[in-house]
């Protein structure tokens, strides 16, 4: 008799964004004449930069010729892309990385989800709350969660609450934890912490031999100086942190898929008997066994992100989305709502009006304005009474969504 991984049975029926898609699908088939504006999932709407498209076309041509054809690529990624990443994302900020510390992948979602494979089952996990559901669900799947309580929290996971009361700056854990997920600029709240705050986390991790899993997928949206683009800007972070980055949100690769993880060689975890083990080697072993690399064509496209033309085009698109963020923020403020984020991130986090839960607000917006957002509660218990809108829509939809929201009576 084949047994199932019963941890999966503990999970809610569907992943947050699948649940939303299901509800929107049902509404849409009952109301086929309604034009729905989707500001729910953080998916981009602007096309890939022209520089990337050209590079991908060239790479397709190379594939058509036996002399330049490529089969399996290096599992870690092609040198041409890794070199560009190190030079532009790290050396330019004074951070030295070795070539074999960077691993190209098909997404930060996959990386932050798969990373649990290399950690022991008894590790204590901490997450900021609200949180990108992948961090929690993958720890449930791999048996680190315990049981779900009435408060919406897993018994073995430590939740570090981020609400307007603490300015969305999580407090350091009051006990030691082994794996700590941080995401800045934050998804879902769109807020950030300063470099000084981030240093406290690095110091905590050093003292407690904690590994920080640092998701920096939204770093391209940072506008303020005192916010780190990489955790390695903080002294000592290479000894305690893995960093996840992505081409999805800066260059529109949500559909084409390309990202990378940095696993420094100074970073270690331990065996039960206290022996130090380099995580870089374990991740390499995991990836080379379970993953066969990102397609050559896509990696050529990602390389073009770092060309002068690519950099200029990306900047333009990011400015476009951040202008949307301003439009949404201004509209919601005019409605008298409390609004957060949207300054260093493409997400706007709002407090739902009195009398509305996250999900009743979701239903109201869908029904009365035909606008889709994401209920804060879907990201964790501290998201109760909050709601997320993304700035990744196109301009006209964003303007229309705001004006529809303004016309609703709450
Ligand atoms: C989100 O909406 O939170 C993001 O699209 C999630 C993701 O990038 O997977």
């Amino acid at each position: 008799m084949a047994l199932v991984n019963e941890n999966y049975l503990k999970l809610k029926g569907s992943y947050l964004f699948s649940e939303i898609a299901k509800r929107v699908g049902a509404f849409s088939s009952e109301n086929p004449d309604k034009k729905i504006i989707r500001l729910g999932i953080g998916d981009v709407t602007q096309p890939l930069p022209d520089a990337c498209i050209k590079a991908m076309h060239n790479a397709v041509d190379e594939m058509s010729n036996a002399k330049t054809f490529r089969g399996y690529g290096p599992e870690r990624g092609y040198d041409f892309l890794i070199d560009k990443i190190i030079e532009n994302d790290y050396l330019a900020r004074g951070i030295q990385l070795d070539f074999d510390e960077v691993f190209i992948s098909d997404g930060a979602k996959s990386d932050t989800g798969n990373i649990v494979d290399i950690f022991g089952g008894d590790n204590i996990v901490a997450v900021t709350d609200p949180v990108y559901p992948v961090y929690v669900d993958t720890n449930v799947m791999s048996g680190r969660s315990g049981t779900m309580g009435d408060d919406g929290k897993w018994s073995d996971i430590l939740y570090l609450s981020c609400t307007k009361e603490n300015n969305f700056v999580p407090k350091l854990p009051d006990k030691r934890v082994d794996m700590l997920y941080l995401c800045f600029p934050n998804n879902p709240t769109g807020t950030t912490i300063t470099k000084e705050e981030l240093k406290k986390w690095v110091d905590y991790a050093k003292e407690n031999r904690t590994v920080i899993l640092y998701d920096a997928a939204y770093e391209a949206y940072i506008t303020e100086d005192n916010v780190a683009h990489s955790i390695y800007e903080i002294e000592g972070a290479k000894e305690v942190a893995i960093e996840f980055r992505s081409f999805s949100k800066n260059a529109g690769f949500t559909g084409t898929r390309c990202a990378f993880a940095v696993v420094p060689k100074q970073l270690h975890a331990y065996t039960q008997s206290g022996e130090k083990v380099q995580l870089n080697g374990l991740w390499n072993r995991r990836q080379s066994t379970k993953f066969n690399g990102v397609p050559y064509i896509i990696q050529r496209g990602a390389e073009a992100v770092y060309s002068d033309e690519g950099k200029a085009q990306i900047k333009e698109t990011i400015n476009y989305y951040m202008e949307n963020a301003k439009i949404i923020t201004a509209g919601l403020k005019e409605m008298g709502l409390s609004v957060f984020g949207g300054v260093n991130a493409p997400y706007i986090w709002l407090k739902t009006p009195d009398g509305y839960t996250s999900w009743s607000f979701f239903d109201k917006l869908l029904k009365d304005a035909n606008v889709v957002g994401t209920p804060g509660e879907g990201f964790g218990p501290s998201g109760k009474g909050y709601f997320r809108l993304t700035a990744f829509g196109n301009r006209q939809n964003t303007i229309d969504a705001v004006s529809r929201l303004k016309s609703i009576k709450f």
Side-chain angles (χ1 to χ4, degrees), residues 195-381:
K195 289 183 187 170
E196 289 74 34
E197 284 291 337
L198 186 54
K199 181 168 186 314
K200 291 184 195 163
W201 291 90
V202 170
D203 293 345
Y204 167 91
K206 275 191 186 163
E207 271 159 38
N208 292 283
R209 297 202 272 185
T210 305
V211 174
I212 299 177
L213 301 160
Y214 194 77
D215 186 347
Y218 299 92
E219 69 80 29
Y221 290 84
I222 294 172
T223 58
E224 294 179 325
D225 287 342
N226 201 19
V227 179
H229 287 254
S230 162
I231 192 168
Y232 307 122
E233 288 176 48
I234 311 298
E235 204 191 319
K238 281 195 199 165
E239 291 156 45
V240 294
I242 294 177
E243 178 161 290
F244 303 97
R245 298 276 279 260
S246 168
F247 294 99
S248 284
K249 312 296 160 118
N250 65 346
F253 277 58
T254 53
T256 24
R257 312 303 304 155
C258 195
F260 61 93
V262 178
V263 189
K265 285 184 278 190
Q266 286 104 308
L267 176 64
H268 295 89
Y270 299 82
T271 62
Q272 289 281 7
S273 57
E275 191 194 330
K276 249 176 151 180
V277 180
Q278 227 185 27
L279 289 178
N280 180 286
L282 294 194
W283 185 240
N284 187 39
R285 188 70 176 83
R286 192 262 172 220
Q287 290 298 79
S288 53
T289 305
K290 294 196 182 181
F291 183 61
N292 244 344
V294 173
Y296 173 71
I297 297 163
I298 303 298
Q299 292 194 56
R300 279 295 185 199
E303 180 195 19
V305 164
Y306 297 104
S307 64
D308 290 344
E309 196 193 353
K311 283 179 188 168
Q313 289 163 357
I314 280 163
K315 202 162 164 224
E316 204 176 303
T317 309
I318 290 171
N319 290 343
Y320 175 93
Y321 291 136
M322 290 309 271
E323 186 57 33
N324 286 348
K326 284 189 192 143
I327 293 168
I328 297 172
T329 302
L332 296 174
K333 284 190 174 162
E334 276 170 41
M335 291 166 65
L337 296 171
S338 303
V339 189
F340 312 93
V343 175
N344 294 297
Y347 292 124
I348 290 94
W349 190 242
L350 61 113
K351 193 88 193 73
T352 53
D354 285 348
Y356 286 90
T357 65
S358 301
W359 281 105
S360 66
F361 190 68
F362 171 88
D363 290 335
K364 174 92 177 157
L365 257 54
L366 180 58
K367 198 164 139 276
D368 293 1
N370 311 140
V371 170
V372 180
T374 310
E377 201 175 333
F379 295 102

Side-chain angles (χ1 to χ4, degrees), residues 15-17 39-44 108-110 131-134 187-188 215 217-218 246 248-249 254 257 347 374 379 388 390 392:
Y15 179 62
L16 173 62
F17 293 106
L39 302 181
I41 192 163
D43 195 5
V44 295
K109 178 179 182 178
S110 329
V131 65
Y132 180 42
V134 172
N187 178 15
D215 186 347
Y218 299 92
S246 168
S248 284
K249 312 296 160 118
T254 53
R257 312 303 304 155
Y347 292 124
T374 310
F379 295 102
R388 193 191 77 176
T390 119
F392 284 128

Side-chain angles (χ1 to χ4, degrees), residues 97-115:
L97 285 182
D98 286 348
F99 179 82
D100 53 2
E101 292 179 310
V102 178
F103 296 82
I104 308 297
S105 75
D106 66 344
K109 178 179 182 178
S110 329
D111 283 345
T112 54
N114 292 331
I115 200 76

